[in-house]
Amino acid sequence: MIMVTGTNGRLASLTLQELADRKVPALGGSRTPADGQRHLDFDDPTSLDLTGLSTLVLVSAGYAEDDQVIARHRALLDAAARRDGVVHVIYTSLTGTGDHLGFALAHRATEDLVKASGLGWTILRNGLYAELFGALLMWAPDGLESAFGDGALSAVVRADLAAVAAIVAIHPSAHVGKTYDLVGDPITAGDVAERLEVAHRAIGLSEYRARLLADNVLLSFQPPMLASIATSVRHGFLSNSSRDLVKLLDRPLADALAVAADTAAAMRPGAS
Ligand SMILES: NC(=O)c1ccc[n+]([C@@H]2O[C@H](COP(=O)([O-])OP(=O)(O)OC[C@H]3O[C@@H](n4cnc5c(N)ncnc54)[C@H](OP(=O)(O)O)[C@@H]3O)[C@@H](O)[C@H]2O)c1
């Protein structure tokens, strides 16, 4: 049996849906499980019951400081390797060109834990979501603003990453010891603006950081994390030409530019 962790989350819920669409039985794990799902909280080792599972899709549980994220992943991997008899773990990591990002360390440390777990493993080095890129563009009265400059991001639509996670989970033995870099075609903030028929104005990184620090909604670790995305895109570090996604997907790639544009459009003040 396959388990996908974090199924209230968007990537995990799409992965579970992909498995259901492919008529493959799978179980969801969540801190707030729906009917038929298993309670699973990486921060509570007593909840980590993986009995009866053979393949684990470990969707990274980010959104915290590195020590907490790594401890979460370590707890689950320990449960999988030492107590419950899982055979294969699939970890959703970060694209290889993402090493300059503020959250790269937790992913690379987890990759090391996965490789040392004694389990069969596959690492899915996911690119940044097209949905995220669209959401990070900011609306001004006369168009879009961003700190991305003319830099391109090899953006990928979440649903494509979910499909690959499902494809690998269905036949894990074909992917043992493999690390895949899953990115789509490069897009820029200017491309999104053009698609929406508005202007794009690049702002500097210091102005962007000041805006982030002034945002009371963000958690303390988020401004540096988001600023690291901006500088990495702006300076060309997140443009990657790996074809792994195209090779693994059994359908055409989703249109990352269209998805980023739709996401940005939905955030326009006054959009319904
Ligand atoms: N590639 C990218 O652009 C990108 C962008 C943002 C984040 N990420 C990473 O990719 C992951 C999946 O992305 P997403 O868009 O699906 O994020 P998401 O919608 O925010 O889902 C994250 C899920 O992680 C699970 N989680 C958090 N803390 C947990 C804990 N202590 N124990 C068990 N599960 C926990 C939760 O699932 P339950 O609520 O079901 O417990 C949560 O819903 C994120 O968690 C993050 O690490 C990638």
Side-chain angles (χ1 to χ4, degrees):
M1 174 70 90
I2 299 167
M3 175 187 261
V4 183
T5 72
T7 39
N8 266 334
R10 289 156 288 183
L11 178 62
S13 63
L14 286 167
T15 304
L16 212 51
Q17 186 58 52
E18 284 283 348
L19 289 162
D21 291 349
R22 292 159 198 264
K23 314 272 183 268
V24 174
L27 190 62
S30 174
R31 293 165 301 169
T32 50
D35 279 353
Q37 297 190 343
R38 206 174 279 185
H39 179 246
L40 202 74
D41 181 350
F42 302 167
D43 293 328
D44 173 12
T46 63
S47 76
L48 302 179
D49 173 11
L50 305 177
T51 315
L53 303 173
S54 54
T55 300
L56 189 63
V57 181
L58 166 50
V59 174
S60 62
Y63 305 114
E65 297 285 357
D66 288 347
D67 55 346
Q68 193 177 359
V69 174
I70 294 166
R72 285 175 177 166
H73 295 164
R74 185 194 298 276
L76 188 69
L77 289 165
D78 282 352
R82 302 214 182 107
R83 296 205 298 271
D84 298 288
V86 173
V87 174
H88 193 97
V89 61
I90 298 158
Y91 174 61
T92 66
S93 187
L94 173 70
T95 180
T97 55
D99 277 339
H100 299 283
L101 295 170
F103 44 98
L105 189 150
H107 282 296
R108 300 296 175 245
T110 303
E111 291 183 1
D112 288 346
L113 293 174
V114 165
K115 290 176 183 174
S117 67
L119 301 166
W121 55 266
T122 308
I123 291 169
L124 305 179
R125 285 188 156 185
N126 290 349
L128 295 194
Y129 305 144
E131 292 90 336
L132 175 70
F133 191 65
L136 291 178
L137 302 174
M138 297 166 285
W139 281 101
D142 58 342
L144 287 167
E145 294 179 337
S146 82
F148 296 135
D150 296 329
L153 169 70
S154 294
V156 56
V157 176
R158 239 193 225 98
D160 283 350
L161 296 171
V164 168
I167 287 166
V168 171
I170 292 168
H171 295 297
S173 58
H175 305 281
V176 174
K178 298 269 173 64
T179 298
Y180 297 116
D181 215 303
L182 304 174
V183 294
D185 295 327
I187 61 173
T188 66
D191 294 336
V192 175
E194 193 179 326
R195 180 67 69 101
L196 296 177
E197 298 181 338
V198 297
H200 169 248
R201 187 176 81 88
I203 63 169
L205 289 167
S206 62
E207 183 178 347
Y208 183 51
R209 193 181 290 270
R211 289 187 192 186
L212 294 171
L213 291 172
D215 186 332
N216 292 326
V217 178
L218 293 176
L219 300 171
S220 55
F221 66 89
Q222 287 178 309
M225 187 192 83
L226 293 171
S228 74
I229 295 176
T231 189
S232 291
V233 171
R234 190 180 188 112
H235 297 107
F237 279 87
L238 283 173
S239 186
N240 168 346
S241 58
S242 166
R243 304 311 286 164
D244 287 351
L245 181 63
V246 173
K247 286 188 203 147
L248 286 165
L249 259 188
D250 53 5
R251 64 185 189 218
L253 240 63
D255 184 343
L257 177 57
V259 169
D262 286 350
T263 308
M267 296 178 65
R268 189 172 198 163
S272 55

